[in-house]
Short mmCIF file of all heavy atoms in Angstrom, two decimals:
data_model
loop_
_atom_site.label_atom_id
_atom_site.label_comp_id
_atom_site.label_asym_id
_atom_site.label_seq_id
_atom_site.Cartn_x
_atom_site.Cartn_y
_atom_site.Cartn_z
N GLY G 183 -9.44 -12.62 -14.21
CA GLY G 183 -10.14 -12.66 -12.93
C GLY G 183 -9.26 -13.03 -11.76
O GLY G 183 -9.64 -13.82 -10.89
N THR G 184 -8.08 -12.43 -11.70
CA THR G 184 -7.14 -12.73 -10.62
C THR G 184 -7.67 -12.21 -9.29
O THR G 184 -8.13 -11.08 -9.19
CB THR G 184 -5.78 -12.09 -10.91
OG1 THR G 184 -5.29 -12.56 -12.17
CG2 THR G 184 -4.78 -12.45 -9.82
N ASN G 185 -7.59 -13.03 -8.28
CA ASN G 185 -8.02 -12.62 -6.95
C ASN G 185 -6.97 -11.71 -6.32
O ASN G 185 -5.83 -12.12 -6.12
CB ASN G 185 -8.24 -13.83 -6.04
CG ASN G 185 -9.44 -14.65 -6.46
OD1 ASN G 185 -10.38 -14.15 -7.07
ND2 ASN G 185 -9.41 -15.94 -6.15
N CYS G 186 -7.38 -10.51 -6.01
CA CYS G 186 -6.55 -9.58 -5.26
C CYS G 186 -7.16 -9.47 -3.87
O CYS G 186 -8.36 -9.21 -3.73
CB CYS G 186 -6.53 -8.22 -5.95
SG CYS G 186 -5.76 -6.90 -4.98
N TYR G 187 -6.36 -9.66 -2.85
CA TYR G 187 -6.84 -9.61 -1.47
C TYR G 187 -6.30 -8.38 -0.77
O TYR G 187 -5.12 -8.04 -0.92
CB TYR G 187 -6.42 -10.87 -0.72
CG TYR G 187 -6.96 -12.14 -1.32
CD1 TYR G 187 -6.15 -12.96 -2.10
CD2 TYR G 187 -8.28 -12.53 -1.12
CE1 TYR G 187 -6.64 -14.13 -2.67
CE2 TYR G 187 -8.78 -13.70 -1.67
CZ TYR G 187 -7.96 -14.49 -2.45
OH TYR G 187 -8.46 -15.64 -3.01
N VAL G 188 -7.17 -7.74 0.01
CA VAL G 188 -6.78 -6.58 0.79
C VAL G 188 -7.15 -6.85 2.25
O VAL G 188 -8.33 -7.05 2.57
CB VAL G 188 -7.48 -5.30 0.29
CG1 VAL G 188 -6.99 -4.09 1.08
CG2 VAL G 188 -7.24 -5.10 -1.21
N ILE G 189 -6.15 -6.90 3.11
CA ILE G 189 -6.37 -7.13 4.54
C ILE G 189 -6.34 -5.78 5.22
O ILE G 189 -5.32 -5.08 5.20
CB ILE G 189 -5.29 -8.07 5.12
CG1 ILE G 189 -5.34 -9.43 4.42
CG2 ILE G 189 -5.50 -8.25 6.62
CD1 ILE G 189 -4.45 -9.55 3.21
N VAL G 190 -7.44 -5.40 5.82
CA VAL G 190 -7.64 -4.04 6.32
C VAL G 190 -7.75 -4.03 7.84
O VAL G 190 -8.54 -4.80 8.43
CB VAL G 190 -8.91 -3.41 5.72
CG1 VAL G 190 -9.03 -1.95 6.13
CG2 VAL G 190 -8.93 -3.55 4.20
N ASP G 191 -7.00 -3.15 8.46
CA ASP G 191 -7.14 -2.90 9.89
C ASP G 191 -8.43 -2.10 10.10
O ASP G 191 -8.57 -0.99 9.59
CB ASP G 191 -5.94 -2.13 10.41
CG ASP G 191 -5.96 -1.94 11.91
OD1 ASP G 191 -6.97 -1.44 12.44
OD2 ASP G 191 -4.96 -2.27 12.58
N LYS G 192 -9.37 -2.66 10.84
CA LYS G 192 -10.67 -2.01 11.03
C LYS G 192 -10.56 -0.68 11.76
O LYS G 192 -11.41 0.20 11.59
CB LYS G 192 -11.61 -2.94 11.80
CG LYS G 192 -12.03 -4.18 11.04
CD LYS G 192 -12.98 -5.02 11.90
CE LYS G 192 -13.43 -6.27 11.17
NZ LYS G 192 -14.33 -7.10 12.01
N GLN G 193 -9.53 -0.54 12.58
CA GLN G 193 -9.43 0.66 13.40
C GLN G 193 -8.97 1.88 12.61
O GLN G 193 -9.56 2.96 12.74
CB GLN G 193 -8.47 0.41 14.57
CG GLN G 193 -8.40 1.56 15.56
CD GLN G 193 -7.61 1.21 16.79
OE1 GLN G 193 -7.03 0.14 16.89
NE2 GLN G 193 -7.57 2.12 17.75
N ASP G 194 -7.94 1.73 11.79
CA ASP G 194 -7.40 2.92 11.12
C ASP G 194 -7.39 2.82 9.59
O ASP G 194 -6.97 3.76 8.91
CB ASP G 194 -5.99 3.23 11.62
CG ASP G 194 -4.98 2.13 11.32
OD1 ASP G 194 -5.32 1.19 10.56
OD2 ASP G 194 -3.86 2.20 11.84
N GLY G 195 -7.86 1.70 9.05
CA GLY G 195 -7.95 1.57 7.59
C GLY G 195 -6.66 1.22 6.89
O GLY G 195 -6.64 1.08 5.66
N SER G 196 -5.55 1.08 7.62
CA SER G 196 -4.30 0.69 6.98
C SER G 196 -4.44 -0.73 6.45
O SER G 196 -5.19 -1.55 7.00
CB SER G 196 -3.13 0.79 7.96
OG SER G 196 -3.35 -0.04 9.09
N ALA G 197 -3.72 -1.03 5.36
CA ALA G 197 -3.99 -2.29 4.68
C ALA G 197 -2.77 -2.87 3.99
O ALA G 197 -1.81 -2.16 3.65
CB ALA G 197 -5.12 -2.09 3.67
N VAL G 198 -2.85 -4.17 3.75
CA VAL G 198 -1.88 -4.91 2.94
C VAL G 198 -2.60 -5.41 1.70
O VAL G 198 -3.70 -5.98 1.79
CB VAL G 198 -1.30 -6.11 3.71
CG1 VAL G 198 -0.39 -6.95 2.82
CG2 VAL G 198 -0.54 -5.64 4.94
N ILE G 199 -2.00 -5.18 0.54
CA ILE G 199 -2.57 -5.68 -0.71
C ILE G 199 -1.76 -6.89 -1.18
O ILE G 199 -0.53 -6.83 -1.23
CB ILE G 199 -2.54 -4.60 -1.81
CG1 ILE G 199 -3.41 -3.41 -1.40
CG2 ILE G 199 -3.04 -5.18 -3.14
CD1 ILE G 199 -3.37 -2.26 -2.40
N ILE G 200 -2.45 -7.96 -1.51
CA ILE G 200 -1.80 -9.15 -2.04
C ILE G 200 -2.20 -9.32 -3.51
O ILE G 200 -3.38 -9.44 -3.83
CB ILE G 200 -2.18 -10.41 -1.24
CG1 ILE G 200 -1.70 -10.27 0.22
CG2 ILE G 200 -1.56 -11.66 -1.87
CD1 ILE G 200 -2.09 -11.43 1.11
N ASP G 201 -1.23 -9.30 -4.40
CA ASP G 201 -1.41 -9.55 -5.83
C ASP G 201 -2.37 -8.58 -6.53
O ASP G 201 -3.44 -8.98 -6.99
CB ASP G 201 -1.87 -10.99 -6.07
CG ASP G 201 -0.79 -12.01 -5.77
OD1 ASP G 201 0.36 -11.61 -5.54
OD2 ASP G 201 -1.10 -13.21 -5.79
N PRO G 202 -1.99 -7.31 -6.66
CA PRO G 202 -2.80 -6.37 -7.44
C PRO G 202 -2.58 -6.63 -8.94
O PRO G 202 -1.69 -6.07 -9.56
CB PRO G 202 -2.25 -5.01 -7.02
CG PRO G 202 -0.81 -5.28 -6.69
CD PRO G 202 -0.78 -6.68 -6.11
N GLY G 203 -3.41 -7.46 -9.52
CA GLY G 203 -3.13 -8.02 -10.82
C GLY G 203 -3.45 -7.16 -12.03
O GLY G 203 -3.08 -7.51 -13.15
N TYR G 204 -4.13 -6.03 -11.81
CA TYR G 204 -4.57 -5.26 -12.98
C TYR G 204 -4.80 -3.81 -12.59
O TYR G 204 -5.20 -3.52 -11.46
CB TYR G 204 -5.87 -5.87 -13.53
CG TYR G 204 -6.28 -5.36 -14.89
CD1 TYR G 204 -5.57 -5.69 -16.03
CD2 TYR G 204 -7.41 -4.57 -15.03
CE1 TYR G 204 -5.96 -5.24 -17.29
CE2 TYR G 204 -7.82 -4.11 -16.28
CZ TYR G 204 -7.09 -4.45 -17.40
OH TYR G 204 -7.48 -4.00 -18.65
N ASN G 205 -4.53 -2.92 -13.54
CA ASN G 205 -4.77 -1.49 -13.33
C ASN G 205 -6.25 -1.21 -13.48
O ASN G 205 -6.74 -0.85 -14.54
CB ASN G 205 -3.96 -0.69 -14.35
CG ASN G 205 -4.10 0.81 -14.15
OD1 ASN G 205 -4.75 1.27 -13.21
ND2 ASN G 205 -3.50 1.58 -15.03
N ASP G 206 -6.99 -1.41 -12.40
CA ASP G 206 -8.44 -1.35 -12.42
C ASP G 206 -8.92 -0.07 -11.73
O ASP G 206 -8.71 0.13 -10.53
CB ASP G 206 -9.01 -2.57 -11.70
CG ASP G 206 -10.51 -2.70 -11.83
OD1 ASP G 206 -11.22 -1.85 -11.28
OD2 ASP G 206 -10.97 -3.65 -12.49
N VAL G 207 -9.57 0.79 -12.49
CA VAL G 207 -10.03 2.08 -11.98
C VAL G 207 -11.03 1.90 -10.83
O VAL G 207 -10.98 2.60 -9.82
CB VAL G 207 -10.66 2.93 -13.11
CG1 VAL G 207 -11.26 4.20 -12.54
CG2 VAL G 207 -9.63 3.24 -14.17
N ASN G 208 -11.93 0.94 -10.98
CA ASN G 208 -12.94 0.72 -9.94
C ASN G 208 -12.32 0.21 -8.65
O ASN G 208 -12.81 0.52 -7.55
CB ASN G 208 -14.00 -0.26 -10.44
CG ASN G 208 -14.88 0.34 -11.52
OD1 ASN G 208 -15.16 1.54 -11.52
ND2 ASN G 208 -15.31 -0.49 -12.46
N PHE G 209 -11.27 -0.57 -8.77
CA PHE G 209 -10.55 -1.06 -7.60
C PHE G 209 -9.97 0.11 -6.81
O PHE G 209 -10.17 0.22 -5.59
CB PHE G 209 -9.46 -2.03 -8.03
CG PHE G 209 -8.50 -2.45 -6.94
CD1 PHE G 209 -8.97 -2.97 -5.74
CD2 PHE G 209 -7.13 -2.35 -7.12
CE1 PHE G 209 -8.09 -3.37 -4.75
CE2 PHE G 209 -6.25 -2.75 -6.15
CZ PHE G 209 -6.72 -3.26 -4.95
N ILE G 210 -9.27 0.99 -7.50
CA ILE G 210 -8.67 2.16 -6.85
C ILE G 210 -9.76 3.05 -6.25
O ILE G 210 -9.62 3.55 -5.13
CB ILE G 210 -7.82 2.95 -7.84
CG1 ILE G 210 -6.74 2.06 -8.47
CG2 ILE G 210 -7.19 4.15 -7.16
CD1 ILE G 210 -5.80 1.43 -7.49
N LYS G 211 -10.85 3.21 -6.98
CA LYS G 211 -11.95 4.04 -6.51
C LYS G 211 -12.54 3.48 -5.22
O LYS G 211 -12.83 4.21 -4.28
CB LYS G 211 -13.02 4.13 -7.59
CG LYS G 211 -14.23 4.97 -7.21
CD LYS G 211 -15.25 4.99 -8.34
CE LYS G 211 -16.48 5.81 -7.95
NZ LYS G 211 -17.50 5.80 -9.02
N THR G 212 -12.70 2.15 -5.17
CA THR G 212 -13.26 1.51 -3.98
C THR G 212 -12.37 1.69 -2.77
O THR G 212 -12.85 1.94 -1.66
CB THR G 212 -13.49 0.01 -4.25
OG1 THR G 212 -14.42 -0.15 -5.33
CG2 THR G 212 -14.06 -0.68 -3.01
N LEU G 213 -11.07 1.56 -2.96
CA LEU G 213 -10.14 1.77 -1.86
C LEU G 213 -10.30 3.17 -1.27
O LEU G 213 -10.33 3.36 -0.04
CB LEU G 213 -8.70 1.56 -2.32
CG LEU G 213 -8.29 0.15 -2.77
CD1 LEU G 213 -6.81 0.14 -3.17
CD2 LEU G 213 -8.56 -0.88 -1.69
N LYS G 214 -10.42 4.15 -2.15
CA LYS G 214 -10.57 5.54 -1.70
C LYS G 214 -11.91 5.75 -1.01
O LYS G 214 -11.97 6.41 0.04
CB LYS G 214 -10.41 6.48 -2.88
CG LYS G 214 -8.99 6.52 -3.44
CD LYS G 214 -8.89 7.50 -4.61
CE LYS G 214 -7.46 7.55 -5.15
NZ LYS G 214 -7.34 8.48 -6.31
N GLU G 215 -12.96 5.22 -1.58
CA GLU G 215 -14.30 5.40 -1.01
C GLU G 215 -14.41 4.76 0.38
O GLU G 215 -15.12 5.28 1.25
CB GLU G 215 -15.35 4.80 -1.94
CG GLU G 215 -15.55 5.60 -3.22
CD GLU G 215 -16.54 4.94 -4.16
OE1 GLU G 215 -16.88 3.75 -3.95
OE2 GLU G 215 -17.00 5.62 -5.10
N GLN G 216 -13.71 3.65 0.58
CA GLN G 216 -13.76 2.97 1.87
C GLN G 216 -12.66 3.44 2.83
O GLN G 216 -12.50 2.88 3.91
CB GLN G 216 -13.66 1.45 1.67
CG GLN G 216 -14.84 0.86 0.90
CD GLN G 216 -14.79 -0.65 0.85
OE1 GLN G 216 -14.03 -1.30 1.57
NE2 GLN G 216 -15.62 -1.24 0.02
N ASN G 217 -11.93 4.46 2.39
CA ASN G 217 -10.86 5.04 3.21
C ASN G 217 -9.82 3.99 3.62
O ASN G 217 -9.32 3.98 4.74
CB ASN G 217 -11.44 5.72 4.47
CG ASN G 217 -10.48 6.71 5.08
OD1 ASN G 217 -9.65 7.32 4.38
ND2 ASN G 217 -10.55 6.88 6.38
N ILE G 218 -9.53 3.10 2.65
CA ILE G 218 -8.51 2.08 2.86
C ILE G 218 -7.16 2.67 2.47
O ILE G 218 -7.01 3.24 1.40
CB ILE G 218 -8.81 0.82 2.03
CG1 ILE G 218 -10.10 0.17 2.53
CG2 ILE G 218 -7.65 -0.16 2.10
CD1 ILE G 218 -10.58 -0.98 1.68
N LYS G 219 -6.18 2.51 3.35
CA LYS G 219 -4.86 3.11 3.15
C LYS G 219 -3.80 2.01 3.00
O LYS G 219 -3.25 1.53 3.99
CB LYS G 219 -4.51 4.01 4.33
CG LYS G 219 -5.60 5.03 4.70
CD LYS G 219 -5.20 5.81 5.93
CE LYS G 219 -6.30 6.72 6.42
NZ LYS G 219 -7.48 5.95 6.94
N PRO G 220 -3.51 1.60 1.77
CA PRO G 220 -2.50 0.55 1.56
C PRO G 220 -1.13 0.98 2.05
O PRO G 220 -0.69 2.11 1.83
CB PRO G 220 -2.50 0.37 0.03
CG PRO G 220 -3.81 0.92 -0.43
CD PRO G 220 -4.11 2.05 0.50
N LYS G 221 -0.45 0.06 2.74
CA LYS G 221 0.88 0.34 3.28
C LYS G 221 1.97 -0.50 2.62
O LYS G 221 3.15 -0.13 2.66
CB LYS G 221 0.88 0.07 4.79
CG LYS G 221 -0.09 0.93 5.58
CD LYS G 221 0.22 2.41 5.42
CE LYS G 221 -0.75 3.26 6.25
NZ LYS G 221 -0.49 4.72 6.07
#
């Protein structure tokens, strides 16, 4: 249950990911659904 934090720019969806601790399909799916663009 590691906390992964994603700080998202509300204007363009660009983001910073802190500690992506696991290869989680639902996590990746959520990023895409919310149009979050990790940089």
Side-chain angles (χ1 to χ4, degrees):
T184 303
N185 291 333
C186 171
Y187 299 102
V188 183
I189 299 91
V190 186
D191 185 306
K192 292 181 180 179
Q193 186 172 5
D194 62 10
S196 59
V198 174
I199 298 177
I200 298 177
D201 290 352
Y204 192 69
N205 183 3
D206 188 293
V207 174
N208 290 327
F209 171 53
I210 303 302
K211 180 181 179 182
T212 299
L213 295 181
K214 292 181 179 179
E215 289 177 346
Q216 296 187 12
N217 200 30
I218 295 173
K219 309 176 186 68
K221 299 300 181 182

